Every structure is written in structure tokens, then in C-alpha cells.
Amino acid sequence: QVQLVESGGGLVQPGGSLRLSCAASGSMISIYRMGWYRQAPGNGRELVATITNIGYTNYGDAVKGRFTISRDNAKNTWYLQMNSLKPEDTAVYLCNALIRTTVNNAMDYWGKGTLVTVSS
């Protein structure tokens, strides 16, 4: 069974930085795409950033130029470096991955989320 576990959330002041990590574990053949989404109270789930297995990245408009996604393939881990944080970045951040677990099966997996609060 594949599991994704996030870490690194917390309280930070506006203008500050945080780094989130997501580690995938379990029986996997390959991870095609890794990513981060977020959900603030009363809002839908929003794309933050994704990165493919060949390093192609995609960012949500709200975080372009401030957030950076990266991955460590050897560790099945990916990261979200968040700089110049704003109060509107406050949300539960969820990691996501498209993972092939068998020759005939690839599907999306989600972590449980980590809370990021940006407040003075």
C-alpha cells in the first residue's frame, strides 16, 4: 500500500519562508508526477505546483515566483520551498503523486495534509 506523508507545516509570519516535504513509501514501480495542492477553509482544492519525472514543473498563478518545487528521486521525496509567504497562503497543503504500482495500474495518491498558517 502506497502512503504519502507530508511534513514541515507550521506558523510563519508574513514574508517568511517554509519548506514542506512529502515522502512516498510502499510498493511502487515508478512515480510519474509529484505535486502539491492546497485547500483553505471554504475554498476548493487549488493547484500549487507539480513536477514530472523528467523535471518539468508547473505552478499555480498565485505562487509563481515565490514557491519552488523539487524532487529527490532516490528518496521518493519531493519538496515545496515557500518564500515571501502571504496570509492568503494559509491553507492545508496536500501532496499528490501519480504512481505506477503494477504493470497495469497507475493512479493518484494523496497525503493527509499539513497546515500552513501565515500570520503575524
Side-chain angles (χ1 to χ4, degrees), residues 41-81:
N43 291 353
R45 193 166 290 182
E46 176 188 18
L47 167 70
V48 177
T50 60
I51 184 168
T52 69
N53 57 345
I54 57 174
Y56 177 78
T57 58
N58 183 43
Y59 294 92
D61 289 341
V63 306
K64 284 180 181 177
R66 299 187 297 123
F67 292 9
T68 302
I69 189 170
S70 60
R71 61 189 286 170
D72 184 334
N73 292 334
K75 296 181 179 179
N76 289 331
T77 299
W78 54 106
Y79 309 94
L80 185 69
Q81 178 66 42

Side-chain angles (χ1 to χ4, degrees), residues 1 32 37 42 44 49 62-63 76 83 88 94-95 98 103 111-112 115:
Q1 188 72 12
Y32 292 121
Y37 291 76
V63 306
N76 289 331
N83 298 329
E88 52 263 43
L94 304 107
C95 66
L98 177 61
V103 172
K112 293 182 178 181
L115 178 63

Side-chain angles (χ1 to χ4, degrees), residues 1-3 24-30 76 99-102 109:
Q1 188 72 12
V2 173
Q3 285 190 319
S25 62
S27 179
M28 298 174 284
I29 295 177
S30 59
N76 289 331
I99 299 175
R100 179 169 296 282
T101 54
T102 69
Y109 290 86

